[in-house]
Amino acid sequence: VTYVTMARASVNALKAWKDTELPVVRALSSEITIQRENLIYHLGEEWQKLAVWKLPSTKTELTSVKSFLKTALHLNRGGSKGDESVPHALLPSILQALSIQGELHKKIKLFGQVLFKYMLKPLIIFPSLVVEVSSQPEQGAVLSLQCTETKADHPDPSQVYTKVLTVLKTLHEQLFDVSIDEKKVSEILGDLIWKEMSECIIRECLVHSIPANSSQLAEYSEVIKQTEDFESSLKEMGYLAGDSTDLLKYARNVNCHFASKKCQDVIVAARKLMASEMHNTVKITPEYKLSIPKLPSPSGGEKERKESCKKSAHYDQQSLENEKQLSPNTMCLPLCRISESVQQLMDLAIQTLSEAVGSSPQCAVQLFYTVRNIFHLFYDVVPTYHKDNFLKLPHLAAIQHNNCMFIAHHLLTLGFQFKPHLPLKDGVAYFVDLVPGFRRLGAQCFVAQMNVQKAEMLERLSTARNFSNLDDEDNYSVASKAIRQVIHQLRRLGKVWQDVLPVNIYCKSIGTLLNTAISELINKIMMLEDISNMDGERLRTLCQTIIEEGPLVFNPLPEENKNKKYQEEVPVYVKKWMTLKEISMVLNANLQEIVDRWAEGKGPLAVEFSCNEMKSLIRALFKNTERRAAALAKIVK
């Protein structure tokens, strides 16, 4: 190698000395080029003898453990028979010659690429893949990949470090513990593969080793120490230079990674719950409380507790006469049903806040805002994801209403329960600022469903031909059918919402819908200009149908005997109920009975109707006679 290099230098000097190139110089230059190429070729052959690869077929997809089991690396150091641990005497010369010819870096780079792709990367990715080192007399060592049984889904850091060190240590002993121009060959290899290898270890191993719970963070110091020892071993062999690498920085920054991983897992779990079926419900009673774990006492809590005890003792001594106690159910949720997924969502939020309590300040803040993001996500995702079902299915609309009210109720106090334990600045709203939005969201969803039901009801009543000319059998049949359909619709809704909505919401909702139907019927009757005796009787029959069957649609509770109370309170929930009763009476009454019930503007009729409305109804019911004129004269307030 030295002679070729010196000859090349001499020829170059001759070329520079003479302006014209002599034939002998050209011949020498050509010969030197031929000799150099021969030298590089023979050096390449020697290099190939030092490291012989046995690789999987190019047609094999490298996606499973089995595809790498044929991988093997034969390291032929060619040691003497007396001492097999001594490398080949010509090894430094071969590597030096390759370096002088500018080929060493190329050879190491290609070797490093094959080493990482077929040996190091599989060992990092697959927990069941291990490396086996076997010695061959007078030849060197063989590195081969073997498969072992394991239930682990992801590799353990200590196992990965052990496997990688086994490969690199064997290479160091057999091949790369040689210095070229004051730089070890192992350092050249390390420079070429370290970045890709460390990123692979982080991506495939360390990411999955981050604890899932804050209680496991203390144990992660063992992984940090293993990473430090791993890098220290690489530095001793020359594969790694420098103090702190991205790999070690990642391991040491476990708190930040824990928070990021935890937040990501929480959001994924929350999104999955929001997209799940909502019809699976759980019953919520006034006694229901969120299961918040016991939290550590905040600093200064003991002193505040003692002062609180003193104040309470002082107030106990000042007992007041006729002291009124609030109901035990004050500030409690009414009996209703919510989605099981929403209960699980609240449990997830509490679990995450509990994790924040025991975490570092940075992690705690990140987890707190993740919980806020859960509720923001619910506010944005659920109404959109389930939009069609909320409009089509009254049962789901009622559940969504309860879900939102349940969340809003607990958001009122959730922040205050965790406030003393979280490192947040004063002025942070915690969760109470989200309460109005959730109440509005639940109300909007249910109101939209109520509007759908009202539209259906009015559509059915529109087929009644304005309740006119009921002396015609067809008209009466159509009108009667419309009333029956409305009653059936209310019964069906009452059954669907039974034991789902809180009793007061149930009664108000059914009452509002029944009131809509009654108002429509009354308005149509009041618009009639002429009501015959037959029309009046049949109109009264329709009114009586509603009066008799209307209360029976109020069934908020599954126990029939408990619903009678609410059926008797129909006038409380149906604004036009008494108006319907009065108009039913008028349709079957004579002029004197109407005048008596008007009672000079002080009777029950005067409460429900204006003078003009009552006069209009009398004109429609009775012919124009002196008695009618006298009666109309008495309809005044």
Side-chain angles (χ1 to χ4, degrees):
V1 175
T2 305
Y3 293 146
V4 170
T5 305
M6 291 174 62
R8 171 62 68 188
S10 299
V11 169
N12 289 337
L14 284 172
K15 287 180 179 179
W17 181 52
K18 286 287 186 179
D19 293 337
T20 56
E21 190 174 330
L22 298 174
V24 67
V25 174
R26 284 199 300 272
L28 284 171
S29 180
S30 177
E31 182 63 25
I32 290 170
T33 300
I34 292 171
Q35 292 300 324
R36 180 179 180 277
E37 293 301 321
N38 284 336
L39 178 62
I40 291 173
Y41 174 77
H42 288 298
L43 287 172
E45 285 190 327
E46 290 297 322
W47 169 262
Q48 289 179 354
K49 292 177 184 178
L50 293 174
V52 181
W53 283 101
K54 182 182 177 183
L55 300 175
S57 170
T58 53
K59 297 180 180 179
T60 305
E61 292 187 11
L62 305 177
T63 55
S64 63
V65 173
K66 290 183 179 180
S67 58
F68 291 99
L69 293 180
K70 294 182 180 180
T71 301
L73 174 59
H74 296 258
L75 300 174
N76 301 314
R77 66 187 173 197
S80 63
K81 293 182 181 180
D83 187 1
E84 294 179 2
S85 64
V86 178
H88 196 293
L90 294 178
L91 178 60
S93 301
I94 294 170
L95 298 177
Q96 181 71 41
L98 285 169
S99 177
I100 292 171
Q101 298 302 317
E103 294 293 318
L104 181 63
H105 191 276
K106 297 178 184 177
K107 298 291 184 185
I108 297 294
K109 183 177 181 180
L110 181 60
F111 177 82
Q113 290 172 346
V114 176
L115 177 71
F116 178 74
K117 181 178 179 180
Y118 291 97
M119 189 162 285
L120 294 178
K121 187 176 180 180
L123 288 171
I124 294 169
I125 293 176
F126 300 109
S128 59
L129 209 58
V130 295
V131 61
E132 186 178 280
V133 182
S134 56
S135 299
Q136 293 184 346
E138 300 183 15
Q139 291 187 14
V142 177
L143 293 168
S144 58
L145 300 184
Q146 305 294 331
C147 183
T148 59
E149 291 186 6
T150 179
K151 294 181 179 179
D153 294 327
H154 302 289
D156 182 73
S158 61
Q159 294 176 353
V160 169
Y161 295 153
T162 300
K163 291 189 285 187
V164 171
L165 283 176
T166 300
V167 174
L168 295 181
K169 187 176 180 181
T170 304
L171 287 173
H172 181 73
E173 292 172 351
Q174 302 290 330
L175 199 60
F176 294 141
D177 190 15
V178 177
S179 295
I180 304 295
D181 297 332
E182 299 182 355
K183 186 175 184 179
K184 281 193 173 184
V185 179
S186 57
E187 187 176 343
I188 299 173
L189 178 63
D191 291 342
L192 292 170
I193 69 170
W194 171 250
K195 183 179 180 182
E196 193 173 9
M197 184 176 75
S198 61
E199 288 176 353
C200 184
I201 293 174
I202 291 171
R203 184 176 61 254
E204 303 293 341
C205 178
L206 290 186
V207 164
H208 303 293
S209 71
I210 300 298
N213 298 308
S214 57
S215 58
Q216 300 172 340
L217 281 173
E219 301 172 9
Y220 200 76
S221 58
E222 184 65 26
V223 175
I224 297 174
K225 186 177 184 304
Q226 292 167 359
T227 307
E228 291 172 348
D229 294 342
F230 173 66
E231 291 197 357
S232 178
S233 299
L234 293 181
K235 288 175 185 176
E236 289 177 8
M237 291 184 285
Y239 288 106
L240 189 60
D243 297 329
S244 183
T245 67
D246 291 340
L247 183 67
L248 188 54
K249 285 178 182 177
Y250 186 92
R252 286 174 175 169
N253 202 14
V254 63
N255 283 324
C256 180
H257 300 312
F258 163 74
S260 298
K261 179 183 179 182
K262 185 69 180 179
C263 294
Q264 184 178 0
D265 291 346
V266 166
I267 292 296
V268 169
R271 186 180 287 274
K272 186 177 179 182
L273 287 172
M274 292 172 201
S276 63
E277 296 293 337
M278 293 181 63
H279 60 262
N280 296 325
T281 60
V282 292
K283 182 175 282 190
I284 299 298
T285 63
E287 294 77 25
Y288 176 84
K289 292 182 180 179
L290 293 176
S291 55
I292 297 178
K294 188 176 180 181
L295 301 174
S297 300
S299 57
E302 191 65 31
K303 183 178 178 182
E304 292 175 5
R305 196 158 46 249
K306 288 180 180 178
E307 290 179 0
S308 176
C309 290
K310 288 180 181 179
K311 288 181 180 179
S312 63
H314 173 70
Y315 289 128
D316 286 343
Q317 294 172 3
Q318 300 178 352
S319 59
L320 299 175
E321 293 183 6
N322 301 323
E323 184 178 358
K324 292 184 179 180
Q325 296 289 332
L326 290 173
S327 166
N329 291 339
T330 303
M331 296 297 292
C332 292
L333 276 172
L335 185 70
C336 66
R337 284 190 172 273
I338 65 167
S339 296
E340 187 179 8
S341 59
V342 167
Q343 188 183 44
Q344 293 171 353
L345 192 72
M346 286 301 300
D347 291 341
L348 178 65
I350 290 170
Q351 181 186 348
T352 307
L353 288 172
S354 301
E355 289 275 353
V357 170
S359 304
S360 64
Q362 179 187 357
C363 180
V365 171
Q366 199 168 346
L367 289 173
F368 166 76
Y369 281 104
T370 298
V371 175
R372 278 187 63 92
N373 288 340
I374 288 176
F375 297 115
H376 282 300
L377 198 64
F378 184 96
Y379 189 91
D380 294 330
V381 169
V382 173
T384 305
Y385 187 85
H386 299 281
K387 182 179 179 180
D388 292 340
N389 287 335
F390 289 157
L391 291 174
K392 292 177 183 176
L393 306 173
H395 180 245
L396 282 190
I399 291 173
Q400 170 66 356
H401 168 271
N402 294 348
N403 290 343
C404 292
M405 296 307 168
F406 174 82
I407 293 173
H409 176 80
H410 289 295
L411 288 183
L412 278 171
T413 56
L414 189 61
F416 295 102
Q417 289 167 307
F418 285 91
K419 182 177 180 180
H421 309 278
L422 295 175
L424 299 175
K425 295 179 181 179
D426 293 336
V428 174
Y430 287 86
F431 304 104
V432 74
D433 59 314
L434 303 177
V435 171
F438 272 94
R439 287 177 176 169
R440 186 167 54 251
L441 183 66
Q444 287 173 347
C445 175
F446 194 65
V447 167
Q449 177 58 225
M450 288 285 287
N451 290 334
V452 170
Q453 296 299 326
K454 283 183 181 179
E456 287 184 16
M457 188 175 291
L458 294 175
E459 179 67 25
R460 289 188 171 102
L461 290 174
S462 68
T463 64
R465 301 175 186 175
N466 294 325
F467 297 96
S468 61
N469 301 322
L470 295 188
D471 50 357
D472 183 278
E473 287 298 330
D474 288 341
N475 288 350
Y476 178 65
S477 176
V478 169
S480 180
K481 181 180 178 182
I483 294 296
R484 292 288 175 187
Q485 286 179 337
V486 167
I487 296 296
H488 177 73
Q489 179 183 348
L490 290 172
R491 280 178 180 165
R492 179 172 52 83
L493 274 178
K495 199 69 178 174
V496 165
W497 287 342
Q498 184 184 76
D499 201 35
V500 175
L501 285 171
V503 170
N504 64 324
I505 301 296
Y506 175 99
C507 292
K508 286 180 181 178
S509 304
I510 295 293
T512 300
L513 292 173
L514 180 56
N515 191 70
T516 300
I518 291 173
S519 297
E520 183 69 8
L521 175 60
I522 292 172
N523 290 338
K524 295 298 183 184
I525 292 174
M526 296 302 295
M527 290 171 64
L528 295 175
E529 295 180 356
D530 183 25
I531 303 175
S532 66
N533 288 338
M534 180 67 74
D535 287 342
E537 289 177 8
R538 289 184 169 179
L539 283 171
R540 185 176 182 277
T541 301
L542 296 180
C543 292
Q544 284 301 117
T545 300
I546 296 178
I547 291 170
E548 292 170 6
E549 299 188 22
L552 300 180
V553 302
F554 286 81
N555 296 296
L557 301 174
E559 301 84 357
E560 288 294 331
N561 58 330
K562 293 182 179 180
N563 290 322
K564 189 174 182 181
K565 171 189 173 184
Y566 305 105
Q567 293 169 359
E568 292 173 351
E569 295 176 349
V570 170
V572 177
Y573 305 110
V574 183
K575 185 178 178 182
K576 292 287 185 178
W577 184 255
M578 296 309 297
T579 308
L580 179 67
K581 279 194 166 185
E582 292 301 319
I583 203 170
S584 177
M585 185 282 301
V586 170
L587 289 170
N588 194 41
N590 56 43
L591 282 170
Q592 186 58 45
E593 288 173 339
I594 294 173
V595 170
D596 291 344
R597 201 157 181 83
W598 183 262
E600 298 180 353
K602 297 178 182 178
L605 269 180
V607 174
E608 303 301 331
F609 296 97
S610 67
C611 292
N612 291 334
E613 287 173 338
M614 198 67 249
K615 288 178 180 180
S616 175
L617 190 56
I618 291 173
R619 290 189 183 102
L621 285 167
F622 301 96
K623 293 180 180 180
N624 188 7
T625 63
E626 290 182 2
R627 289 183 64 199
R628 190 185 82 171
L632 290 173
K634 294 177 181 179
I635 305 299
V636 292
K637 286 188 178 180

